């Protein structure tokens, strides 16, 4: 079964509003989570690395004031898209990494959520 | 420059026609190479992790191998349900996962 869960799977919001996407680690406490954006037929674009209890590290070109990431607990990270615009419409995916190596998880492997489709109208 | 390149970009196979997908990398200090399967509109699903040259992992019709410069994902006697995009990623350092652009596989019945 899934070890990382994302919610909502699909969301439509009006331009100018904010929307929050949740990423939950179900099977382990994840000190590190990652947020990606994916355009059609393209690979994953890392947006930020989120460490529990500290500020997220954003990739170059990603507006941290627009894409707010909060990793308040070891099982939950949230991505809030503020003042959303149609160009923010995309597929957003999170991933989490188990804190230790060993069964049933492969060390250093990151596990992905199901993804969230955001449409800004 | 650290880079992960996957080939081919797209592949069409007849059911039962075995083939291999390639993932080549130019990354120093490799700390793991990962294969994922991604279905349309879904998040990637973990398949394999490889750590050192010569290592092999198998799961059903899939087998992943690793050399010092590349990894192969061999698909034996594929079925239509194996149709998906296969992503390769490498880990450099503690947190830097570098993804390839994927191979879109279509298996025809």
């Amino acid at each position: 079964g899934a070890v990382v869960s994302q919610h909502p799977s699909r969301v439509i919001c009006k331009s100018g509003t904010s929307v929050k996407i949740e990423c939950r680690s179900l099977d382990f406490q994840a000190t590190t989570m990652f947020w990606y954006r994916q355009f059609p037929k393209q690979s994953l674009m890392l947006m930020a690395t989120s460490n529990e209890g500290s500020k997220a590290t954003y990739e170059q070109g990603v507006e941290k004031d627009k894409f707010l990431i909060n990793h308040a607990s070891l099982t939950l990270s949230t991505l809030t898209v503020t003042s959303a615009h149609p160009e923010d419409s995309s597929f957003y995916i999170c991933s989490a990494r188990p804190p230790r190596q060993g069964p049933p998880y492969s060390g250093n492997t990151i596990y992905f959520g199901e993804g969230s489709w955001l449409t800004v109208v | 420059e650290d880079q992960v390149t996957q080939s081919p970009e797209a592949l069409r196979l007849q059911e039962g026609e075995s083939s291999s997908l390639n993932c080549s990398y130019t990354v120093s200090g490799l700390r793991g190479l990962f294969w994922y399967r991604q279905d349309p509109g879904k998040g990637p699903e973990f398949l394999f992790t490889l750590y050192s040259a010569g290592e092999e992992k198998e799961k059903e019709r899939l087998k992943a191998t690793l050399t010092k410069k590349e990894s192969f994902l061999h698909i034996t006697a594929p079925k239509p349900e194996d149709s998906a995009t296969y992503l390769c990623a490498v880990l450099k350092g503690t947190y830097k996962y570098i993804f390839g652009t994927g191979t879109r596989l279509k298996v025809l019945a």
Side-chain angles (χ1 to χ4, degrees):
Chain A
V3 296
V4 177
S5 175
Q6 258 182 267
H7 179 78
S9 57
R10 289 183 179 274
V11 58
I12 300 173
C13 71
K14 291 186 177 180
S15 188
T17 63
S18 296
V19 62
K20 182 186 287 187
I21 299 170
E22 291 187 347
C23 177
R24 292 184 183 275
S25 172
L26 302 178
D27 279 6
F28 52 80
Q29 294 183 324
T31 53
T32 304
M33 289 185 170
F34 305 86
W35 285 95
Y36 298 84
R37 185 172 178 177
Q38 189 173 36
F39 295 99
K41 295 191 177 180
Q42 292 190 26
S43 191
L44 306 171
M45 183 189 82
L46 179 66
M47 299 175 67
T49 301
S50 166
N51 288 297
E52 187 266 339
S54 62
K55 290 185 179 180
T57 302
Y58 289 82
E59 294 299 299
Q60 193 171 10
V62 177
E63 299 175 63
K64 58 183 177 183
D65 293 332
K66 179 167 189 61
F67 299 100
L68 299 179
I69 292 171
N70 185 285
H71 193 161
S73 78
L74 288 171
T75 58
L76 175 64
S77 177
T78 60
L79 167 67
T80 302
V81 183
T82 63
S83 187
H85 291 286
E87 56 265 32
D88 298 325
S89 299
S90 191
F91 189 50
Y92 293 88
I93 316 173
C94 72
S95 68
R97 189 168 84 177
R100 290 180 297 275
Q101 297 189 26
Y105 306 110
S106 296
N108 292 333
T109 301
I110 51 176
Y111 296 87
F112 287 87
E114 306 96 328
S116 299
W117 286 99
L118 170 63
T119 302
V120 184
V121 298
Chain B
E1 181 187 352
D2 297 326
Q3 205 162 4
V4 175
T5 304
Q6 290 189 247
S7 63
E9 200 172 298
L11 181 63
R12 290 166 72 93
L13 299 173
Q14 291 293 324
E15 184 173 3
E17 180 186 0
S18 302
S19 188
S20 296
L21 313 183
N22 178 265
C23 171
S24 62
Y25 59 92
T26 53
V27 175
S28 58
L30 181 79
R31 296 192 61 209
L33 184 141
F34 312 89
W35 282 98
Y36 294 88
R37 169 195 170 123
Q38 186 175 26
D39 293 303
K42 305 283 186 182
E45 174 190 346
F46 169 68
L47 294 174
F48 303 109
T49 301
L50 301 166
Y51 288 105
S52 55
E55 191 175 358
E56 298 183 352
K57 294 269 180 77
E58 278 189 77
K59 179 181 178 182
E60 296 179 356
R61 295 179 291 281
L62 300 176
K63 183 166 113 174
T65 61
L66 180 64
T67 72
K68 288 186 178 180
K69 294 291 184 187
E70 59 192 347
S71 176
F72 292 93
L73 184 66
H74 307 277
I75 303 178
T76 303
K79 298 182 177 181
E81 53 261 41
D82 294 323
S83 298
T85 295
Y86 290 85
L87 293 170
C88 164
V90 301
L91 172 62
K92 174 174 177 153
T94 305
Y95 297 117
K96 188 175 182 182
Y97 292 84
I98 305 166
F99 280 85
T101 52
T103 293
R104 294 192 306 277
L105 174 66
K106 177 74 174 177
V107 181
L108 306 171

